[in-house]
Amino acid sequence: MAYYLFPPDGKPASIAPSLGRIKRGVGTSEAGTNGATNGTTPAPYPYNTDAEPNNPTVIPQETLGKFHFTFLIRHPRSSVPSYYRCTTPPLDEVTGFHDFMPSEAGYDELRRLFDYLRSIGQIGPRIAGQSTDEHAANGGNTHGVEVCVVDADDLLDDPNGILEAYCKSVGIEYDPDMLKWDTEEDQRQAEDAFRKWPGFHDDAMHSSDLKPRLHKKKVKSGQDEDAEWVEKYGEKGAKIIRETVDVNMEDYEYLKQFAIKARGA
């Protein structure tokens, strides 16, 4: 979702008016703007507001600093056709998304957010899953919030190992029951969480646990992928998918190098 923290179409960033801070005189309230623009033009973009140095998002650094970031990534050859499917018949009537926008893949924005947070020291330099001794031996600072990147394929191959490593990184006590949501209360909570996005998370909503895949996902050749996409989405759809996959590979592979590894992996 980092895509939505950035200005559209690669435009220069400035802080969203609703998140800007109004400077007030002595003795007046320091409350936030609550949607006021303080003399600036309202949305749509561009906002007539100040930018923060080097901040590529519309969110103030002060606000970003309140979050502990985890970066969930998925290989473009899986994520792009999955999203494309949600924008074509018959599923588009359920999702309400009728147009596929390649820019919404979001890898570029995710990488830029990742690099910005590293540059200001909000995450890193230590990488989740790397031992303290190993990191210190490489001359790294062992303090601060770890870089925490989770790859979807790693999680599906080893849910227990990845989730345990993740919990250690973020300071949560790991419990194997975290991988189960088989009670009525759990199911109701899942339905409430995903109700806003009909059609996108049906598999998750109809599941009750997360078990390791019996076989790791087989990597297909580009030719086999193209043939599969042509069969499902036609020549035009397959071409759009291939172009979108290829343009996002570099950013995915960059982030993948930071992916958390299970203990002993």
Side-chain angles (χ1 to χ4, degrees):
M1 303 301 284
Y3 172 82
Y4 296 102
L5 305 184
F6 284 73
D9 305 320
K11 293 177 181 178
S14 59
I15 299 303
S18 61
L19 297 174
R21 171 175 287 182
I22 298 176
K23 294 183 179 180
R24 302 178 182 272
V26 175
T28 58
S29 172
E30 288 294 330
T33 64
N34 193 30
T37 59
N38 193 25
T40 62
T41 57
Y45 210 80
Y47 307 131
N48 185 22
T49 54
D50 293 332
E52 289 186 342
N54 302 316
N55 184 350
T57 78
V58 300
I59 311 297
Q61 179 180 336
E62 180 182 5
T63 301
L64 292 171
K66 297 177 181 179
F67 294 89
H68 187 135
F69 283 90
T70 298
F71 294 81
L72 178 62
I73 59 174
R74 188 183 184 194
H75 200 291
R77 65 171 172 256
S78 297
S79 65
V80 173
S82 177
Y83 179 46
Y84 188 87
R85 183 176 71 95
C86 292
T87 65
T88 58
L91 194 53
D92 63 335
E93 293 300 325
V94 179
T95 64
F97 282 64
H98 303 287
D99 298 295
F100 177 78
M101 297 175 59
S103 62
E104 287 188 321
Y107 290 87
D108 169 72
E109 291 80 8
L110 191 64
R111 177 175 177 172
R112 285 194 285 149
L113 175 62
F114 179 85
D115 282 343
Y116 172 63
L117 295 176
R118 289 184 74 206
S119 73
I120 62 175
Q122 184 170 336
I123 61 173
R126 188 178 175 194
I127 300 171
Q130 187 181 80
S131 71
T132 302
D133 291 342
E134 177 185 7
H135 186 77
N138 292 330
N141 184 351
T142 59
H143 302 289
V145 174
E146 294 180 330
V147 171
C148 196
V149 178
V150 177
D151 185 275
D153 280 319
D154 295 339
L155 180 62
L156 292 173
D157 288 335
D158 185 6
N160 282 285
I162 295 298
L163 188 58
E164 183 176 11
Y166 174 76
C167 287
K168 181 179 180 181
S169 175
V170 300
I172 299 174
E173 183 177 355
Y174 173 67
D175 184 339
D177 284 341
M178 291 175 172
L179 295 167
K180 301 176 183 177
W181 47 93
D182 53 2
T183 68
E184 288 187 12
E185 181 180 353
D186 290 339
Q187 290 293 311
R188 186 167 53 252
Q189 183 175 353
E191 290 176 5
D192 290 343
F194 291 133
R195 184 174 291 121
K196 184 179 179 181
W197 302 98
F200 285 96
H201 306 290
D202 287 357
D203 289 346
M205 287 179 63
H206 297 141
S207 64
S208 59
D209 58 15
L210 182 59
K211 296 186 173 103
R213 291 192 288 210
L214 296 178
H215 305 285
K216 288 192 175 183
K217 192 168 185 176
K218 182 180 179 181
V219 179
K220 299 178 181 178
S221 68
Q223 185 176 2
D224 287 342
E225 288 176 341
D226 291 337
E228 178 182 332
W229 298 337
V230 167
E231 181 180 354
K232 290 181 177 179
Y233 308 112
E235 293 281 355
K236 181 179 179 181
K239 183 176 184 293
I240 293 172
I241 292 171
R242 171 53 63 196
E243 290 174 348
T244 308
V245 169
D246 288 349
V247 80
N248 287 288
M249 279 300 301
E250 182 180 347
D251 291 328
Y252 166 76
E253 290 175 345
Y254 171 78
L255 293 167
K256 173 66 176 176
Q257 68 180 316
F258 299 97
I260 192 169
K261 294 180 176 58
R263 184 172 54 185

